[in-house]
């Protein structure tokens, strides 16, 4: 780039009117220009130096890749733990459901067994047994009515005493 | 995204990301942490990368966010940059500039003292070579704001350099 063109580009640059290509041309010009003490030269030397500074090396890449690997493993572990939790929860559910069903089934069976024990297959025998049970019940009721009559007598006397 | 793609497309961005983080934080270790966090985030989001048009700009945005978070949470010394958002004039006397060291170190100091907006837009344009549109996407500032801040940053650096230069010439004249 000739000096006239450089001057024009610099003017545009400092006025904030240059585009990226023109700015890159200026940087490239000063990168290859012989050393100078003018402020523009020093300024563009600074820009060139700064834009090529590489403080992070391959060791940084290794660190990142290790961290990614660690991240992967911990995620795997986390996923496995979640899977185990799912399995444990499902097992617990199955066990509790089976226990509930088993209890209900046993109760029903017990009731059925009682009914079967008390059922007479012979209707005559069943009739006789029912009759016997009812007679027993009525005799007990008669006994209680005697006691009840005594109570009513007691109440009658009590009322008489109160009136006197 | 497969590991091989990550190695070939994302890992090579590490130094650009580092330079940008460093321009915000001014601390080597913190900037390295920021780049590490960015890389891991990209890996974490690898399945969503198909929807991202400009991977490099997206990585820069992540880096910027992590760096700003670090700056805020750690009350880092560059917090002063945020406080100086509206600071327009950070010019120094030629004597102060000459005290700072050689010219490249002086420019480094001037850039380091720019307000945050100017600093990051200057870094993205003049050091990393991003377009105004990309800078706008990375930082969230509108394009005009980006242009104005780059212009102001360049102007501040140039003014200080010219002062330093004229001071040097004067000094050499007096010596002879």
């Amino acid at each position: 780039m000739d000096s006239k063109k450089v001057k024009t580009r610099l003017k545009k640059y400092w006025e904030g009117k240059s585009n990226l290509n023109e700015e890159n041309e200026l940087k490239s010009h000063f990168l290859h220009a012989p050393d100078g003490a003018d402020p523009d030269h020093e300024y563009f030397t600074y820009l060139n130096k700064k834009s090529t500074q590489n403080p992070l090396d391959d060791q940084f890449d290794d660190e990142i890749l290790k961290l990614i690997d660690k991240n992967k493993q911990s995620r795997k572990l986390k996923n496995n733990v979640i899977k185990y939790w799912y399995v444990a929860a499902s097992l617990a559910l199955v066990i509790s459901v089976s226990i509930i069903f088993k209890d209900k089934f046993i109760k029903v069976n017990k009731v059925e067994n009682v009914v079967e024990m008390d059922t007479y297959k012979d209707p005559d025998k069943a009739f006789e047994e029912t009759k016997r049970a009812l007679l027993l019940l009525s005799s007990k009721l008669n006994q209680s009515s005697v006691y009840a009559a005594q109570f009513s007598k007691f109440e009658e006397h009590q009322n008489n005493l109160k009136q006197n | 995204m497969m590991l091989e793609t990550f190695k070939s497309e994302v890992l090579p961005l590490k130094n650009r990301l580092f330079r940008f983080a460093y321009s915000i934080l001014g601390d080597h270790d913190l900037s390295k942490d920021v780049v590490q966090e960015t890389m891991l985030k990209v890996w974490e989001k690898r399945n969503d990368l198909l929807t991202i048009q400009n991977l490099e700009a997206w990585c820069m945005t992540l880096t910027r966010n992590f760096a700003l978070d670090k700056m805020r949470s750690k009350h880092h010394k560059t917090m002063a940059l945020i406080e100086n958002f509206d600071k327009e004039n950070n010019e120094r006397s030629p004597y102060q500039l000459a005290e700072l060291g050689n010219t490249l170190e002086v420019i480094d100091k001037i850039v380091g003292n720019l307000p945050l907006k100017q600093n990051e837009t200057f870094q993205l344009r003049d050091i990393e070579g991003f377009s105004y549109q990309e800078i706008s996407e990375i930082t969230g500032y509108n394009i005009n704001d980006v242009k104005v801040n780059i212009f102001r940053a360049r102007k501040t650096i140039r003014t200080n350099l010219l002062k330093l230069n004229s001071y040097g010439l004067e000094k050499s004249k007096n010596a002879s």
Side-chain angles (χ1 to χ4, degrees), chain B residues 70-109:
Chain B
K70 264 213 161 73
M71 196 167 87
R72 286 185 196 114
S73 65
K74 303 257 178 189
H75 291 284
H76 198 253
K77 60 178 179 181
T78 40
M79 199 65 188
L81 286 173
I82 287 181
E83 288 158 13
N84 292 337
F85 244 45
D86 299 322
K87 192 172 78 178
E88 291 295 319
N89 188 4
N90 66 349
E91 291 172 18
R92 292 162 185 251
S93 72
Y95 176 74
Q96 283 174 314
L97 289 169
E99 287 289 298
L100 292 173
N102 71 44
T103 316
L104 298 186
E105 284 169 358
V106 171
I107 301 173
D108 224 13
K109 296 264 164 46

Side-chain angles (χ1 to χ4, degrees), chain A residues 12-20 23-24 27 37-40 42-43 45-47 49-58 60-61 63-65 67-68 71-72 75, chain B residues 3 6-7 11 14-15 18-19 22 28 32 35-36 39-40 43-44 46 103-104 107-108 111 122 125-132 134 151 154-155 157-158 161-162 165:
Chain A
K12 265 181 105 177
Y13 176 84
W14 292 118
E15 284 171 354
K17 292 173 183 169
S18 53
N19 61 37
L20 258 184
E23 288 166 21
N24 286 336
K27 280 185 198 170
D38 69 295
D40 290 333
E42 282 169 334
Y43 174 77
T45 304
Y46 170 82
L47 295 187
K49 203 183 159 196
K50 277 279 162 181
S51 58
T52 50
Q53 270 181 353
N54 294 322
L56 300 179
D57 52 16
D58 292 345
F60 178 83
D61 293 2
E63 284 171 26
I64 292 289
L65 294 173
L67 282 171
I68 285 174
N71 212 1
K72 266 187 192 170
R75 187 164 286 182
Chain B
L3 189 62
F6 181 82
K7 279 183 194 173
L11 279 180
K14 63 180 185 279
N15 280 306
F18 179 88
R19 289 192 296 261
Y22 189 84
H28 186 278
K32 195 179 162 187
V35 181
Q36 208 170 62
M39 294 286 177
L40 292 177
W43 176 251
E44 209 175 278
R46 62 191 180 281
T103 316
L104 298 186
I107 301 173
D108 224 13
V111 172
F122 168 79
R125 177 73 177 193
D126 283 348
I127 311 286
E128 303 304 337
F130 282 102
S131 69
Y132 292 130
E134 285 173 319
F151 173 75
R154 287 174 182 169
K155 196 182 160 193
I157 299 166
R158 186 169 161 78
L161 278 178
L162 288 172
N165 195 256

Side-chain angles (χ1 to χ4, degrees), chain B residues 110-169:
Chain B
I110 298 167
V111 172
N113 279 327
L114 288 171
L116 183 66
K117 264 188 176 181
Q118 289 182 27
N119 191 332
E120 50 181 354
T121 49
F122 168 79
Q123 181 77 22
L124 290 169
R125 177 73 177 193
D126 283 348
I127 311 286
E128 303 304 337
F130 282 102
S131 69
Y132 292 130
Q133 180 62 42
E134 285 173 319
I135 297 170
S136 171
E137 282 168 22
I138 293 167
T139 57
Y141 308 139
N142 69 50
I143 288 188
N144 284 335
D145 223 10
V146 169
K147 285 179 184 173
V148 167
N149 277 290
I150 292 169
F151 173 75
R152 285 180 183 165
R154 287 174 182 169
K155 196 182 160 193
T156 305
I157 299 166
R158 186 169 161 78
T159 310
N160 280 308
L161 278 178
L162 288 172
K163 269 187 192 172
L164 183 71
N165 195 256
S166 57
Y167 172 74
L169 286 174

